C-alpha cells in the first residue's frame, strides 16, 4: 500500500457534543492520515434516530475545526464516496443486505422483543452467555408467511458461520482472535429497515475505501462481526487499531458522569483554553514521541507521528498537566488574543460593561497583561483580578502580619503624601516607581520593610504581579482610599 492509499475516517454519531475521547479518536486518525500523506474522512453515523440531538452534527464539526483538525471529505465539502450521512445511504445498504438474503448468508427473524427477552432470561438462569438461539434460522416459506399474516415485521440477521476462528493483527494490541461459536446470529437490519451499526459501518468502510480503522478499544468486540460482513461480501477488511481507554487520575475509566474531569471540548472553549494547547495535550493521551519534548505545534506532531508508538497502557487524563500546558501557550500568546478570551468572563462577572471605550479597553488590556503569565485558562482572570474590583481589601493572613509591623504607619503616610502630589492622569507605573523610591529616601526603609507594607495595604496580599503596575492600574483614588483606611 502506498501512502496515497491511506484513507482513515472519524465517524461520530450526532447524539451529543464532542467528547474528549471522541476528539482523541478524530485527532489520531487525522495525524495518521496527514503523516502518511493520505486522506481523512468524516462520516456521520446518524441511524440511531431516537438518540440524535438537534445541532449534534454541527457541534461535532464546529469543535473539530476549533481544535485545528481539517478533513478531505465529509457532509460539508462532499467527495467521491458520498453521501457522508448514513441516513442518506439506505438504498446502498438495501442492495447489499438483500444480496446476503438471496445467498442464504442472512435470514429474516420474526421474533418479538418479548420472546427475545424471555430467551435471554432462560439462558442466564442456566448460567449461559445470552445470545440468539437461531430459532428463525431455518424457517420455511410457509412459516414466514404465517408470521407475516400475524402482522409480524421481520428484522434481518446475519448467519454466523459455525466453528470458525476470526483472527486479525491489531495495530496496537497485536494478534487478536475470536471464535464464531461464541457469537450468536446478530441483527444487521432492524425492523424499521435501518441497518445496525456493525453492518452499516463495515459497508461504509469498504465503499469509502477506508484502509485503516483507528478507534477505541471498546470496539474490539465489534471487530469479528465486521470481519464476518467483509467475508460474506467477498471484501478485504481494513487494518484495525484499537486505542487504549482514557482513565482518570485514580486509574478508573473516564465516564461522562465523572465530574473530576471536564469532558466536552466546547466546555474547554468556554473556559478559555487555547485550541492549539488542547490539540497538543490530546495528542499525548495514549501516544508518545521519541525524546522528552512535550510542547509541539500541529505541524511538528504530524511530522513525528508514528502509529507504532500508540500506547498499550491506559492513557491518564492529567488535569494538572493540561493546566500547565495551556499556561505555557497562554504565556506566549498575543495579548490581544488573550484579552479577547478573558473579556467574556469579566463581563459575565459584572466586572466590565458589554461595550468598552478605547480608554477602558486599554485598561483591561494592561490588566490581562499583568496576569497573563498566571492564566491556566481565560476564566482564571476573574478570581486573579478580584482585588481590582472590590470596594474593600480582604487581607490574607501573611498580609495582616506585615501590616502589624512597627514601621508600617511611617511608610504608608509617606507613600500617601507622595501619591497625593502626583496628578491623576500621570499616575503611571513609572510615576509609582518614583513615588516608592522617594518613600525609601524619606523613611530610610527599603526592601521588604518598604514594599511589603505598601503591597499589603493596597492589595491585602504579600505576593503578586509587578507592584508598580498593580498600583497604577488600581488608580490613584482607589489606592489612596485603601491606604487611608489602613491609617
Amino acid at each position: 500500500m502506498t501512502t496515497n492509499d491511506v484513507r482513515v475516517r472519524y465517524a461520530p454519531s450526532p447524539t451529543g457534543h464532542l467528547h474528549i475521547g471522541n476528539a482523541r479518536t478524530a485527532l489520531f486518525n487525522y495525524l495518521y492520515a496527514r503523516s502518511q500523506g493520505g486522506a481523512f474522512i468524516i462520516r456521520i453515523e446518524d441511524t440511531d434516530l431516537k438518540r440524535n440531538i438537534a445541532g449534534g452534527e454541527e457541534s461535532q464539526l464546529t469543535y473539530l475545526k476549533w481544535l485545528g483538525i481539517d478533513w478531505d471529505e465529509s457532509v460539508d465539502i462532499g467527495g467521491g464516496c458520498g453521501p457522508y450521512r448514513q441516513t442518506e445511504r439506505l438504498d446502498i445498504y438495501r442492495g447489499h443486505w438483500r444480496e446476503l438474503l438471496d445467498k442464504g448468508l442472512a435470514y429474516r427473524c420474526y421474533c418479538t422483543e418479548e420472546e427475545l427477552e424471555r430467551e435471554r432470561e432462560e439462558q442466564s438462569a442456566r448460567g449461559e452467555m445470552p445470545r440468539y438461539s437461531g430459532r428463525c434460522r431455518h424457517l420455511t416459506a410457509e412459516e414466514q408467511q404465517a408470521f407475516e399474516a400475524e402482522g409480524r415485521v421481520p428484522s434481518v440477521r446475519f448467519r454466523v458461520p459455525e466453528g470458525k476462528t476470526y483472527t486479525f493483527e491489531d495495530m496496537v494490541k497485536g494478534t487478536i482472535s475470536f471464535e464464531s461459536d461464541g457469537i450468536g446470529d446478530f441483527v444487521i437490519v432492524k425492523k424499521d429497515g435501518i441497518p445496525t451499526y456493525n453492518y452499516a459501518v463495515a459497508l461504509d468502510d469498504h465503499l469509502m475505501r477506508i484502509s485503516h480503522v483507528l478507534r477505541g478499544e471498546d470496539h474490539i468486540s465489534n471487530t469479528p462481526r465486521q470481519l464476518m460482513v467483509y467475508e460474506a461480501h467477498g471484501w478485504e477488511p481494513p487494518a484495525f487499531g484499537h486505542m487504549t481507554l482514557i482513565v482518570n487520575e485514580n486509574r478508573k475509566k473516564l465516564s461522562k458522569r465523572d465530574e473530576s474531569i471536564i469532558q466536552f471540548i466546547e466546555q474547554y472553549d468556554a473556559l478559555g483554553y487555547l485550541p492549539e494547547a488542547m490539540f497538543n495535550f490530546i495528542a499525548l493521551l495514549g501516544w508518545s514521541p521519541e525524546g522528552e519534548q512535550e510542547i509541539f505545534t500541529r505541524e511538528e506532531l504530524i511530522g513525528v507521528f508514528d502509529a507504532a508508538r500508540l500506547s498499550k497502557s491506559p492513557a491518564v487524563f492529567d488535569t494538572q498537566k493540561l493546566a500547565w500546558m495551556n499556561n505555557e501557550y497562554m504565556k506566549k500568546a498575543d495579548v490581544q488574543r488573550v484579552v479577547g478570551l478573558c473579556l467574556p468572563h469579566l463581563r459575565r462577572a459584572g466586572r466590565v460593561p458589554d461595550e468598552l471605550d478605547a480608554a477602558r479597553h486599554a485598561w483591561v488590556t494592561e490588566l490581562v497583561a499583568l496576569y497573563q503569565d498566571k492564566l491556566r485558562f481565560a476564566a482564571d482572570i476573574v478570581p486573579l483580578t478580584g482585588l481590582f474590583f472590590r470596594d474593600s481589601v480582604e487581607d490574607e493572613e501573611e498580609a495582616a502580619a506585615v501590616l502589624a509591623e512597627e514601621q508600617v504607619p511611617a511608610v504608608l503616610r509617606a507613600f500617601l503624601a507622595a501619591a497625593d502630589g502626583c496628578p491623576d492622569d500621570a499616575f503611571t507605573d513609572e510615576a509609582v516607581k518614583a513615588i516608592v523610591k522617594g518613600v525609601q529616601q524619606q523613611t530610610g526603609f527599603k526592601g521588604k520593610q518598604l514594599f511589603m507594607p505598601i503591597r499589603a495595604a493596597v492589595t491585602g496580599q504579600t505576593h503578586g504581579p509587578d507592584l508598580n503596575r498593580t498600583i497604577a492600574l488600581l488608580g490613584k483614588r482607589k489606592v489612596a482610599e485603601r491606604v487611608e483606611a489602613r491609617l
Side-chain angles (χ1 to χ4, degrees), residues 166-168 202 222-232 237-238 240:
Y166 287 86
T167 301
F168 64 97
N222 291 322
T223 309
R225 293 172 175 81
Q226 292 163 23
L227 290 173
M228 291 175 194
V229 171
Y230 274 90
E231 180 182 65
F240 291 96

Side-chain angles (χ1 to χ4, degrees), residues 210-228:
I210 300 303
S211 62
H212 297 74
V213 173
L214 281 172
R215 57 191 180 188
E217 68 178 18
D218 50 332
H219 283 286
I220 288 178
S221 60
N222 291 322
T223 309
R225 293 172 175 81
Q226 292 163 23
L227 290 173
M228 291 175 194

Side-chain angles (χ1 to χ4, degrees), residues 171-182:
M171 295 167 66
V172 181
K173 306 283 187 182
T175 305
I176 298 178
S177 294
F178 289 89
E179 301 300 325
S180 66
D181 291 346

Side-chain angles (χ1 to χ4, degrees), residues 130-185:
R131 66 189 180 108
Y132 183 62
S133 64
R135 61 197 291 178
C136 290
R137 226 174 194 252
H138 305 292
L139 292 178
T140 63
E142 291 76 16
E143 288 171 324
Q144 290 187 38
Q145 288 171 3
F147 278 132
E148 290 181 10
E150 288 179 27
R152 294 198 186 198
V153 177
S155 59
V156 178
R157 286 187 183 272
F158 187 85
R159 197 183 297 274
V160 173
E162 297 176 3
K164 190 160 185 176
T165 301
Y166 287 86
T167 301
F168 64 97
E169 283 299 316
D170 191 279
M171 295 167 66
V172 181
K173 306 283 187 182
T175 305
I176 298 178
S177 294
F178 289 89
E179 301 300 325
S180 66
D181 291 346
I183 302 170
D185 294 347

Side-chain angles (χ1 to χ4, degrees), residues 39 55 58 65 81 90 96 102 112 125 152 199 203 240 246 282 302 322 333 379 382 391 401 412 427 464:
E58 181 184 4
K65 288 175 183 173
C81 296
L90 298 181
H96 286 90
D102 292 342
T112 66
R152 294 198 186 198
Y199 190 61
L203 262 60
F240 291 96
I246 301 174
I282 295 170
I302 291 170
L322 173 56
V382 174
D391 291 330
L412 294 186
F427 199 70

Side-chain angles (χ1 to χ4, degrees), residues 401-442:
V402 166
L403 291 169
E405 293 173 5
E406 62 180 351
Q407 87 282 10
V408 171
V411 169
L412 294 186
R413 286 193 189 95
F415 176 79
L416 186 60
D420 190 50
C422 178
D424 291 5
D425 58 358
F427 199 70
T428 63
D429 49 351
E430 283 300 315
V432 172
K433 182 179 179 181
I435 289 169
V436 174
K437 185 71 173 174
V439 172
Q440 177 185 332
Q441 293 169 347
Q442 180 182 340

Side-chain angles (χ1 to χ4, degrees), residues 407 436 440 444-454 467:
Q407 87 282 10
V436 174
Q440 177 185 332
F445 295 111
K446 58 184 180 180
K448 287 187 176 181
Q449 286 189 310
L450 172 66
F451 299 112
M452 282 292 195
I454 296 173
L467 180 58

